[in-house]
């Protein structure tokens, strides 16, 4: 999987994580607008950066290396967030993309470790 760039892994990881969150937020049943607001609150860079910092101790050396490569690939981001937050979010997405393409069992294990407060539509 070394032939896929960290930016491409992040691109895939972004889609995979959003789909995971869409599936996760389906219960309890709600209106589509409420689903959307909840999912958006979890896939934002600030939340992803927080998630990856919490998961970091659980990552293997290889997974930490993928995270670092993804962070380093994020040269610039939106002006609404600081660069470090954007880099960690991109690293998280790269890791998700990498695991999706190489080890879905491990991906599910890590995603299951994420602690969400689904009672609030905005975790940030």
């Amino acid at each position: 999987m070394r032939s896929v760039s960290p930016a491409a892994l992040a691109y895939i990881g972004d889609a995979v994580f959003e789909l995971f969150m869409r599936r996760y937020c389906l219960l309890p049943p709600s209106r589509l607008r409420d689903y959307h607001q909840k999912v958006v609150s979890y896939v934002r860079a600030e939340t992803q950066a927080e998630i990856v910092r919490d998961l970091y101790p659980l990552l293997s050396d290889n997974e930490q290396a993928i995270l670092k490569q993804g962070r380093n690939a994020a040269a610039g981001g939106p002006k609404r967030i600081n660069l470090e937050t954007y880099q960690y979010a991109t690293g998280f997405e790269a890791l998700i993309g990498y695991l999706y393409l190489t080890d879905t069992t491990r991906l599910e294990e890590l995603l299951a470790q994420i602690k969400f407060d689904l009672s609030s539509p905005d975790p940030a």
Side-chain angles (χ1 to χ4, degrees):
M1 199 47 48
R2 299 285 183 204
S3 63
V4 178
S5 74
L9 291 174
Y11 177 73
I12 295 294
D14 177 56
V16 169
F17 188 64
E18 182 165 343
L19 183 58
F20 168 79
M21 289 311 310
R22 286 180 180 216
R23 182 184 72 191
Y24 193 84
C25 291
L26 280 176
L27 297 174
S30 186
R31 296 182 310 221
L32 289 179
R33 184 185 63 168
D34 294 337
Y35 287 141
H36 176 74
Q37 288 174 340
K38 194 174 282 190
V39 169
V40 166
S41 72
Y42 286 111
V43 299
R44 51 193 302 234
E46 295 88 348
T47 305
Q48 290 180 345
E50 184 179 321
I51 289 168
V52 78
R53 286 184 180 111
D54 290 343
L55 292 179
Y56 193 82
L58 305 175
L59 302 180
S60 69
D61 291 343
N62 184 53
E63 291 165 347
Q64 290 176 9
I66 297 295
L67 172 69
K68 184 177 180 181
Q69 289 170 5
R71 277 191 347 236
N72 291 342
K79 295 193 186 304
R80 68 172 186 80
I81 59 172
N82 70 46
L83 181 59
E84 181 181 356
T85 298
Y86 180 73
Q87 289 172 325
Y88 271 92
T90 303
F92 174 71
E93 291 172 346
L95 176 61
I96 296 298
Y98 174 79
L99 291 174
Y100 175 75
L101 295 172
T102 62
D103 190 349
T104 55
T105 301
R106 177 62 176 153
L107 174 61
E108 289 291 333
E109 288 172 4
L110 281 178
L111 292 176
Q113 297 301 313
I114 299 172
K115 304 294 185 243
F116 294 108
D117 177 11
L118 293 180
S119 63
S120 168
D122 186 6

